[in-house]
């Protein structure tokens, strides 16, 4: 039963990310100059390295993974490649609530609201 609750929690997290992520677009500009897209490429590379660092390496080295993730997010916003569309308050409430409840179910393996 605990596994099913954790699986349901993971599904709720994915549902919350889906609802919130529907209004975020990552774009790149087509430019004749090669250096115009470096910020977008570097941000994706830093995010991938950071996530892999967080998942694969032992607990003592995970703090460096967060540095890569934060640097990747900063490069996305500094290069103006993230387009944030307006989100309704109801949609934000449902997505954030779904992620929070899903995380609690995934971490504890029980339903306690």
């Amino acid at each position: 039963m605990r596994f099913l609750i954790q699986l349901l929690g993971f599904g709720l997290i994915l549902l919350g990310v889906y609802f919130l992520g529907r209004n975020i677009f990552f774009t790149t500009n087509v430019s004749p100059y090669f250096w115009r897209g470096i910020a977008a490429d570097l941000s994706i590379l830093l995010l991938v390295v950071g996530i892999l660092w967080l998942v694969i390496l032992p607990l003592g080295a995970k703090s460096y993974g967060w540095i890569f993730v934060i640097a990747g997010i900063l490069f996305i916003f500094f290069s103006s490649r993230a387009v944030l569309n307006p989100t309704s308050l109801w949609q934000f409430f449902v997505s954030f609530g779904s992620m929070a409840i899903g995380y609690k179910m995934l971490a504890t393996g029980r339903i306690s609201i």
Side-chain angles (χ1 to χ4, degrees):
M1 186 69 178
R2 182 179 171 122
F3 176 72
L4 289 176
I5 292 174
Q6 287 178 333
L7 189 63
L8 181 64
F10 184 69
L12 283 173
I13 291 172
L14 290 179
L15 183 69
V17 168
Y18 170 73
F19 278 132
L20 197 58
R22 284 188 348 185
N23 293 326
I24 300 172
F25 299 100
F26 296 102
T27 63
T28 57
N29 292 350
V30 179
S31 175
Y33 307 111
F34 72 92
W35 61 83
R36 299 282 294 193
I38 289 178
D41 297 339
L42 186 61
S43 64
I44 298 298
L45 180 67
L46 287 173
L47 282 173
V48 168
V49 168
I51 290 171
L52 287 176
W53 202 298
L54 287 171
V55 172
I56 294 174
L57 291 179
L59 187 62
K62 289 189 187 276
S63 60
Y64 296 113
W66 286 112
I67 293 171
F68 283 115
V69 169
I70 291 170
I73 291 171
L74 288 176
F75 272 110
I76 287 173
F77 287 110
F78 286 145
S79 66
S80 300
R81 302 288 196 257
V83 178
L84 304 173
N85 286 338
T87 303
S88 68
L89 183 61
W90 176 249
Q91 186 177 7
F92 180 75
F93 175 75
V94 169
S95 65
F96 190 74
S98 174
M99 285 188 288
I101 293 170
Y103 176 75
K104 177 110 176 166
M105 290 171 65
L106 184 66
T108 63
R110 58 186 166 181
I111 300 172
S112 59
I113 299 175

